[in-house]
């Protein structure tokens, strides 16, 4: 059983143009991502240098993840980033400790205050609705008697 494929010259030209366009677009998008040998070796050496200093690496989305070398977060697969100023002093940074910047602390404090005010307001609304419902029930009982 022979399989015959009938392709006209016009179809062959279209296929060839599509292949060439695909190769060109692939080159256009990805030509800058390949690193030369010297750039790659510099990056590897810089990583080794940072590892020698005892840098602690963490995930920006999951600060509880702490590693002694660069890599990927086991939770989200993002690249780990070095903790600034860790410099091998691991006693100063507890694995359970989350350090917040001043701006983050101000935002958290504002959220906490807003939540307290919101809860008080919601509680007042709930009590008002409850009192209104009690009045309605009392009215219904009086009308029924």
């Amino acid at each position: 059983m022979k399989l015959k494929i009938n392709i006209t010259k016009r179809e062959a030209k279209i296929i060839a143009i599509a292949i060439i366009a695909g190769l060109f677009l692939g080159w256009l998008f990805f030509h800058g991502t390949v690193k030369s040998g010297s750039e790659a070796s510099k990056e590897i050496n810089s990583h080794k240098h940072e590892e020698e200093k005892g840098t602690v690496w963490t995930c920006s989305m999951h600060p509880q993840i702490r590693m002694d070398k660069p890599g990927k977060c086991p939770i989200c697969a993002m690249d780990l980033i070095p903790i600034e100023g860790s410099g091998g002093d691991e006693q100063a940074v507890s694995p359970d400790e989350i350090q917040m910047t001043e701006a983050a602390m101000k935002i958290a404090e504002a959220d906490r205050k807003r939540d307290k005010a919101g809860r008080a307001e919601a509680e007042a609304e709930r009590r008002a609705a409850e009192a209104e419902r009690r009045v309605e029930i009392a009215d219904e009982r009086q009308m029924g008697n």
Side-chain angles (χ1 to χ4, degrees), residues 67-134:
M67 303 273 183
D68 58 345
K69 60 185 178 187
K72 300 275 185 192
C73 172
I75 298 172
C76 65
M78 287 178 61
D79 289 331
L80 298 179
I81 58 172
I83 296 177
E84 293 181 14
S86 62
D89 188 11
E90 301 219 9
Q91 265 89 16
V93 181
S94 167
D96 298 327
E97 180 181 13
I98 296 176
Q99 297 176 344
M100 295 174 61
T101 62
E102 283 292 321
M105 287 195 297
K106 287 179 182 176
I107 291 170
E109 181 66 22
D111 283 347
R112 189 179 63 77
K113 286 179 181 176
R114 188 196 66 216
D115 288 347
K116 278 186 176 179
R119 281 195 303 263
E121 186 177 312
E123 181 67 20
E125 288 177 10
R126 187 188 65 76
R127 286 183 181 172
E130 193 176 289
E132 189 175 316
R133 179 67 183 141
R134 285 183 189 155

Side-chain angles (χ1 to χ4, degrees), residues 6 11 25 42 48 52 91 99 115-116 120 123:
N6 292 330
E11 291 170 337
L25 290 173
K42 284 179 186 176
K48 286 181 182 177
E52 291 170 3
Q91 265 89 16
Q99 297 176 344
D115 288 347
K116 278 186 176 179
E123 181 67 20

Side-chain angles (χ1 to χ4, degrees), residues 5-30:
I5 300 175
N6 292 330
I7 299 177
T8 64
K9 287 185 178 182
R10 182 174 183 264
E11 291 170 337
K13 285 180 185 178
I14 291 173
I15 292 171
I17 290 171
I19 290 172
I20 291 171
L23 290 172
F24 175 73
L25 290 173
W27 174 82
L28 187 65
F29 287 120
F30 300 110

